[in-house]
Amino acid sequence: MTPPCYSHMTRMLMNLANGKVAVCLEGGYNFRSISKSALAVTRTLMGEPPDRLIAPSASRPAVETVREVAMMHSRYWKCICLLYTSPSPRD
């Protein structure tokens, strides 16, 4: 996940919890990424709007893996609907 994604999630949680949110770091391996995400979340907690989300592109194997997992889970979770059964023409 990107720092803007973390800040958007934080904003959504703040809205759900009427602004009462506690945040803690769990650790990680990429200190540069952790520091950028922590800064984005902190700014959101202080009332700044989150940065704009930019949709990343996904590789064909990643899309296929997510589709396979969704298909397996859809047997047990009726709320998972598969809109596409084959890769889109642009893949």
Side-chain angles (χ1 to χ4, degrees):
M1 288 187 8
T2 64
C5 187
Y6 277 112
S7 63
H8 277 271
M9 284 194 330
T10 301
R11 172 63 58 97
M12 288 186 274
L13 288 170
M14 289 172 68
N15 289 336
L16 285 172
N18 295 322
K20 298 178 182 179
V21 176
V23 178
C24 62
L25 291 174
E26 66 173 81
Y29 302 106
N30 187 324
F31 294 120
R32 183 171 286 133
S33 178
I34 291 169
S35 63
K36 288 180 181 180
S37 295
L39 179 60
V41 168
T42 302
R43 286 181 172 162
T44 301
L45 290 170
M46 293 174 63
E48 292 184 27
D51 289 340
R52 183 177 178 176
L53 291 174
I54 299 171
S57 60
S59 67
R60 180 179 218 131
V63 171
E64 290 173 2
T65 299
V66 170
R67 186 175 287 122
E68 287 178 29
V69 170
M71 286 176 61
M72 288 181 208
H73 284 260
S74 68
R75 289 185 253 166
Y76 308 103
W77 295 83
K78 300 302 178 197
C79 61
I80 298 176
C81 298
L82 298 176
L83 300 176
Y84 304 102
T85 55
S86 62
S88 66
R90 67 182 185 122
D91 287 345

